Every structure is written in C-alpha cells, then in structure tokens.
Amino acid sequence: MSKENLAGVYQLENGCWGFRYAISVNGKRREGKKTKDENGNPFKTEKQAFRARERAIIKAKTEKKPTKKIVRKTFKEVFEEYCEYGRNGKAYTTIKKQDSLWNNHLKDRFGSKYIDNITVAEIQDYLAELYYTEGKAYSYAESFLKMFYLIFGQAYSRNYLDIDTYNKLCINKDTKIHMPKQKIDEETDIVYFNKIEMQQLDNYFQGTNAETAYMLGKYCGVRINECYGLKWDKIDLENGIITIDRQMQYQEGLIKLVSLKTRNAKRKIYMCSKLKKYFENLVQQQKKYKKELKAQRQQNQTFIQDIKGNMISSLGLVNSLPNGKIQTVNSMKYHSRTLQGEYNINFKYHYLRHTYGTTLATLNTPEHLLCNQMGHSSSAVTHKYYIAISEQGIEELLKNLEMV
C-alpha cells in the first residue's frame, strides 16, 4: 500500500495506530480523529487504522445529520422580514431603491410564490425578459440579480431554504443564477467628454453660479451629492486636500447632509494647482460677500440637518450662492437643459466624474491610487476606466505605434 493511500494514518508513541480525516459534505466541513475502534480496542497495525479510516469517511459522507424542519415562507414574507430585521444601517438610497424594485416589479411577479419553489430557470427567464425584451439597461437588470441573492440569503439564514437548494441558486458556479449574456452593442458605462466638449463646458460654466460645482466635478471627480454636501471646513488649502465625508440628500422631502453610501467613499482628494488657485480666489470673494451682503446672507440662509442631527447653516456649504441661498443637487438640471439645447452636449454631472477617471487612467495613474481618489468600494469598478477607449487614450496609442 503506497504512502499516498495511507495519508491520514499515523503511529502513536505506544506503537499503536490512529487516523484523522477532513472532508466536505454539501459544502460543510466534517472532521474525524480516532485511535480506537468501535469496541474501544486500539489499532494494532497501520492497515487496521487505514481500513477504519475508510469506513469512517464513507459513514460521514452518507450519514444524514438531523436537520431542522424547513419552514415554508413566501417571497413576500421573506422580503418583509428582511425589511424589518436586515436593513439596519443600510443607506437611505439603498432602501429606497430596494423598495422601488420590490413595489414596481418583484412583488407582483414573485411575491405570492413560496421561496423554496422558485427555480433557477424561472429567475434566468425573468432577467432575460428584463434585459432583452423590455430593454432595461444591463446595470439596472443587474440590480434585480443582487436583490434575488439578498432574499435567498435571508431565506437560507432563517431556515426557509435547505442547503442544497441554496447552493444551487447562489453558490454552485455551474447552476447559480447569473446575468444574461451582455449585448454586443451595449453602451459602455463610462461616458466621458472629449477635449472640444470640455472646452465648451469650461466656457459655459465660467462665471455662473454652478462654476464651483463644475470645478469640483472636473478636477476631483466627486459625485453630485458629495459636491453639494461639501462644507468649507473640509477644504484644506494649506495642504491642498479636500475631505469628502458626507453628502447632500433629499429625505422625506427635506434637504439633509448624511453619511456616504460606503466606507471607501470617505476619502481625501488632492487638489491640482488650478483648483487650489481657484479656491484661494473664492475664499477672498467669500470674505467680500460676508461684508457687502451680510444682511441678505443672514436672511436667505437655510438651516439643514447635518450627519449627527444638529442643524447647520447653508452658509457653511461651499456651493451656496453669494447671497446665502442654498444650492442643491437639483441645481444642475437647468444647466443640463441649456447645454443640450444650445451646445448639443448631453450633460450629466456624473460624466465629469467619468472624464476625470478616464483621463487619470490614460495618464497611467496607479490603479490603487485612482480607486482611492474616486472612493470606489471595489478596484473592479476603477478598472473600467483603464479599459475604456477614450479619445485621449487613442492619441497615446498612436504615439506609441509611431515608436514601434
């Protein structure tokens, strides 16, 4: 008998033998260790221990452990339990999005079905219907996939799904639910502005009430909620650093400053010399406004709730108007319409973020640094900027080709 076959068998100090094993059964680890047989007698020979080990492994693989009785619940009941017990600490926008997917789509289609009766094929057909038939965006259809994983995970943790069903739905790579194959003509998620468009945008925003927000989008790649939630005390001109630690949101019809969606979104962004110079000038203008428009600013200021629940003045926000009136995440809508009508530019503030990321990726910024600057929770998201085909990237490619 070869040494390979005798793996797991070992000799004791007294000359007798023992065995150990560790196997996986239905995704669960089972271990065993013995130095005596069923009658309490020691294994006198290596062969005895080996045979006993073989029998123990067969028994472990075939023996059915007593399991709790599976409780049957509908998809609706599981979702409601998740809402009551599993959403503590979730971001406000995440909760709103989940509620929207449920109320507008999933409730009617799956709500009354028992969770243990829903099949992989049924979900795959539904995702394909959303993406191919209804023409939903790939990323939007993907949000449904995440919801299914979430609800099935909730059901399994509460013993509404047995392990085999859960493995088939969510774990086994050969059977688990997944997104349909992406269309060949699917547009990239990375939409950016080219050089001509950026020049037009520079000219358009200069001197407008949205210039500061534009500069933050162009040179920092911040999200629009982060931009309008930025406070003056988070700008460190001496060290050239902007701290992003909160965002502006409408919640129940009220403007609030709330926590960022993910931990990685809290970050320090390094300013380029142009942006630093811009803010140095803006600080001087603010001093002027405080003197010349003091009465207006006091009258027009708005008090909003900050992260910890205390009320703060809109005068502490970077993007408030000179006369003290607050600007919100909706302030860009007018400019988007104007740019579309007068310049034929499909302007979304988030595209400034894409342009920032694509430009830095083309300039070979280390991926981990760009991931940090943009506040991505996953480097896989950042990687999209490195594989996006941009105008600037093509220019660099052509330069490199001339050197071949």
Side-chain angles (χ1 to χ4, degrees), residues 339-357:
L339 285 165
Q340 180 69 62
E342 296 183 9
Y343 295 88
N344 197 30
I345 294 177
N346 179 23
F347 180 82
K348 290 184 180 179
Y349 188 84
H350 203 72
Y351 294 167
L352 291 174
R353 178 174 169 82
H354 288 180
T355 306
Y356 170 85

Side-chain angles (χ1 to χ4, degrees), residues 219-283:
Y219 291 114
C220 297
V222 295
R223 301 173 178 90
I224 191 168
N225 297 65
E226 297 169 345
C227 171
Y228 284 98
L230 182 62
K231 297 168 65 178
W232 276 110
D233 61 7
K234 299 302 176 181
I235 296 182
D236 179 358
L237 286 176
E238 184 178 346
N239 296 302
I241 294 174
I242 295 175
T243 300
I244 303 296
D245 66 349
R246 65 198 71 202
Q247 60 178 331
M248 178 184 285
Q249 277 187 1
Y250 280 94
Q251 292 189 0
E252 313 301 334
L254 298 175
I255 302 170
K256 297 181 181 180
L257 298 185
V258 299
S259 299
L260 300 168
K261 187 174 181 179
T262 65
R263 183 182 301 174
N264 286 26
K266 186 176 182 179
R267 63 200 188 276
K268 295 184 182 299
I269 297 177
Y270 294 89
M271 290 188 276
C272 64
S273 57
K274 288 182 180 179
L275 185 62
K276 187 176 179 182
K277 183 67 175 176
Y278 174 83
F279 271 109
E280 287 172 347
N281 292 334
L282 193 58
V283 167

Side-chain angles (χ1 to χ4, degrees), residues 61-239:
K61 286 182 176 179
T62 56
E63 183 180 40
K64 291 190 176 181
K65 298 274 184 178
T67 58
K68 294 181 180 178
K69 185 178 179 181
I70 297 296
V71 180
R72 299 202 79 194
K73 293 277 187 175
T74 63
F75 199 90
K76 180 177 182 288
E77 289 173 318
V78 177
F79 177 75
E80 288 175 345
E81 273 194 30
Y82 164 72
C83 293
E84 185 174 358
Y85 304 111
R87 294 208 295 198
N88 294 330
K90 293 289 185 184
Y92 178 82
T93 52
T94 299
I95 292 174
K96 286 297 181 184
K97 183 175 182 179
Q98 290 174 351
D99 286 344
S100 175
L101 294 179
W102 172 255
N103 291 320
N104 297 321
H105 300 279
L106 296 174
K107 180 172 68 174
D108 292 339
R109 184 71 170 257
F110 293 96
S112 61
K113 295 178 181 292
Y114 281 106
I115 196 78
D116 58 334
N117 271 353
I118 299 174
T119 65
V120 172
E122 192 173 1
I123 296 172
Q124 292 302 147
D125 290 344
Y126 180 64
L127 293 174
E129 181 183 320
L130 286 170
Y131 183 50
Y132 293 126
T133 307
E134 297 185 17
K136 305 293 186 187
Y138 190 84
S139 58
Y140 183 68
E142 198 169 27
S143 62
F144 286 88
L145 177 67
K146 293 175 182 178
M147 274 284 282
F148 281 118
Y149 274 117
L150 186 151
I151 299 303
F152 287 134
Q154 175 79 6
Y156 176 62
S157 70
R158 295 183 176 276
N159 204 41
Y160 308 147
L161 280 180
D162 62 60
I163 188 169
D164 291 333
T165 303
Y166 178 69
N167 282 343
K168 181 183 287 187
L169 287 163
C170 302
I171 303 298
N172 190 318
K173 65 179 182 179
D174 295 323
T175 65
K176 68 179 183 180
I177 54 177
H178 58 273
M179 281 297 291
K181 188 175 180 180
Q182 197 164 7
K183 300 171 189 173
I184 296 175
D185 59 349
E186 180 84 12
E187 289 188 10
T188 176
D189 291 330
I190 307 301
V191 180
Y192 60 89
F193 299 116
N194 60 37
K195 288 182 178 179
I196 295 176
E197 289 171 329
M198 285 305 299
Q199 185 60 58
Q200 291 175 314
L201 292 175
D202 286 346
N203 295 335
Y204 171 81
F205 280 106
Q206 187 174 12
T208 68
N209 290 333
E211 184 177 9
T212 301
Y214 172 71
M215 296 291 282
L216 286 166
K218 177 181 178 180
Y219 291 114
C220 297
V222 295
R223 301 173 178 90
I224 191 168
N225 297 65
E226 297 169 345
C227 171
Y228 284 98
L230 182 62
K231 297 168 65 178
W232 276 110
D233 61 7
K234 299 302 176 181
I235 296 182
D236 179 358
L237 286 176
E238 184 178 346
N239 296 302

